[in-house]
């Protein structure tokens, strides 16, 4: 099982990169935020419980989050491994993931930190648009779609998230960055942390991430 963890503050570019890495590495992208939003849309008890936390920019409690993620890892498409986008987000989640993988004789391969300064995060999140079909990401000024309001990749309508309003964005940054620092330290101590400069253009960040995990430099295999 190949388990890659993408780490970064809200708005750092985890989702953007996870979609590209998933295609390159032929692994499914597993995003806890997407799982919560799908559950909220379906009106399940888990989704309704999660929505209240998401609207306040807080982390959803671990009792809900860890069980949901571990269940997702049981699905057949996760058998070869996954790219985790948005999990783990605090130390107890990182510990729970390590334990669950160890039970299967597996472990996290690498934790990839997409590093972006706080002032840039606000600009990225408030200008973010997502495709309604698969969550492909756009930015209204930095990375606009070819046709306004339409996903380049699958033609679905673009939407903005409720929690990307400026006041919720600030709450998410205030409430979540401390826990992210703990997770980063966890993987640094385990020797698994690789940090890339997330301020670079999307394609350059992708190339740096692939260089961090693949034995052959990306530029050499894609001249
Ligand atoms: P996350 O999943 O970490 O919250 P996203 O991947 O959704 O972040 O990206 C947040 C916003 O920033 C989106 O609008 C996206 O288009 C934009 N973005 C992503 N990567 C970059 C980059 N390297 N440079 C500038 N903008 C980016
Ligand atoms: P972002 O793109 O800003 O990083 P996500 O889509 O990953 O946001 O997450 C949206 C919201 O879902 C978070 O603000 C949080 O409320 C909840 N959430 C997502 N993943 C987790 C997690 N691993 N633990 C707790 N809450 C989570």
């Amino acid at each position: 099982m190949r388990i890659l963890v993408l780490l970064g503050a809200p708005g750092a570019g985890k989702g953007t990169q996870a979609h590209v890495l998933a295609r390159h590495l032929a692994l499914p992208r597993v995003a806890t935020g997407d799982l919560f939003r799908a559950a909220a849309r379906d009106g399940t008890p888990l989704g309704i419980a999660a929505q209240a936390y998401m609207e306040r920019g807080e982390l959803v409690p671990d009792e809900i989050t860890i069980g949901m993620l571990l269940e997702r890892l049981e699905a057949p498409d996760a058998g070869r491994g996954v790219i985790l986008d948005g999990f783990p987000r605090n130390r107890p989640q990182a510990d729970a993931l390590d334990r669950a993988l160890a039970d299967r004789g597996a472990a996290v391969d690498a934790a990839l930190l997409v590093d972006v300064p706080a002032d840039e995060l606000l600009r990225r999140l408030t200008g973010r648009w997502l495709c309604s079909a698969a969550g492909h990401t756009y930015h209204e000024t930095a990375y606009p779609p070819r046709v306004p309001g339409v996903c380049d990749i699958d033609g679905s309508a673009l939407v903005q998230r409720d929690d990307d309003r400026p006041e919720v964005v600030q709450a998410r940054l205030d409430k979540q960055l401390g826990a992210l620092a703990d997770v980063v330290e966890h993987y640094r101590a385990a020797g698994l942390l690789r940090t890339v400069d997330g301020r670079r253009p999307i394609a350059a960040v992708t190339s740096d991430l692939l260089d961090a995990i693949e034995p052959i430099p990306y530029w050499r295999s894609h001249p």
Side-chain angles (χ1 to χ4, degrees):
M1 258 188 132
R2 187 172 196 195
I3 311 288
L4 297 172
V5 170
L6 268 177
L7 299 176
K14 300 179 298 297
T16 303
Q17 297 299 331
H19 278 286
V20 185
L21 292 183
R23 271 205 306 278
H24 271 290
L25 303 172
L27 291 174
R29 161 182 172 265
V30 170
T32 36
D34 285 7
L35 296 175
F36 285 136
R37 279 185 290 278
R41 261 195 311 277
D42 294 346
T44 67
L46 183 147
I48 292 165
Q51 201 166 12
Y53 295 94
M54 295 168 82
E55 280 166 2
R56 293 194 295 269
E58 291 168 16
L59 291 181
V60 177
D62 291 340
E63 309 82 88
I64 303 178
T65 308
I66 293 170
M68 178 185 73
L69 187 274
L70 295 184
E71 193 180 314
R72 175 65 185 84
L73 293 185
E74 297 297 331
D77 71 328
R80 286 184 49 248
V82 288
I83 297 171
L84 290 177
D85 167 4
F87 187 97
R89 252 174 153 101
N90 60 21
R91 189 58 204 272
Q93 292 181 9
D95 291 338
L97 178 64
D98 287 348
R99 278 195 302 273
L101 292 174
D103 286 347
R104 297 167 204 201
V108 170
D109 278 68
L112 304 165
L113 172 63
V114 182
D115 198 18
V116 173
D119 55 344
E120 168 74 2
L121 299 171
L122 201 69
R123 199 185 65 77
R124 288 194 183 181
L125 288 169
T126 52
R128 168 159 71 180
W129 287 81
L130 293 158
C131 96
S132 45
H136 297 122
T137 51
Y138 298 86
H139 188 275
E140 56 193 20
T141 52
Y143 290 96
R146 279 195 294 272
V147 178
V150 180
C151 179
D152 292 352
I153 298 168
D154 57 36
S156 70
L158 300 185
V159 294
Q160 281 191 300
R161 273 170 41 178
D162 288 341
D163 59 349
D164 281 346
R165 284 175 287 125
E167 61 279 17
V168 188
V169 164
Q170 195 57 56
R172 283 158 67 203
L173 296 176
D174 292 346
K175 291 175 181 171
Q176 298 187 20
L177 291 184
L180 170 66
D182 295 343
V183 177
V184 168
E185 274 322 304
H186 173 78
Y187 290 115
R188 195 194 310 277
L192 297 174
L193 187 71
R194 316 266 184 280
T195 302
V196 305
D197 182 355
R199 291 169 303 182
R200 306 181 72 207
I202 291 174
V205 177
T206 305
S207 157
D208 286 350
L209 287 169
L210 289 168
D211 283 350
I213 53 170
E214 298 286 64
I216 300 170
Y218 178 66
W219 57 265
R220 206 176 289 160
S221 55
H222 295 75

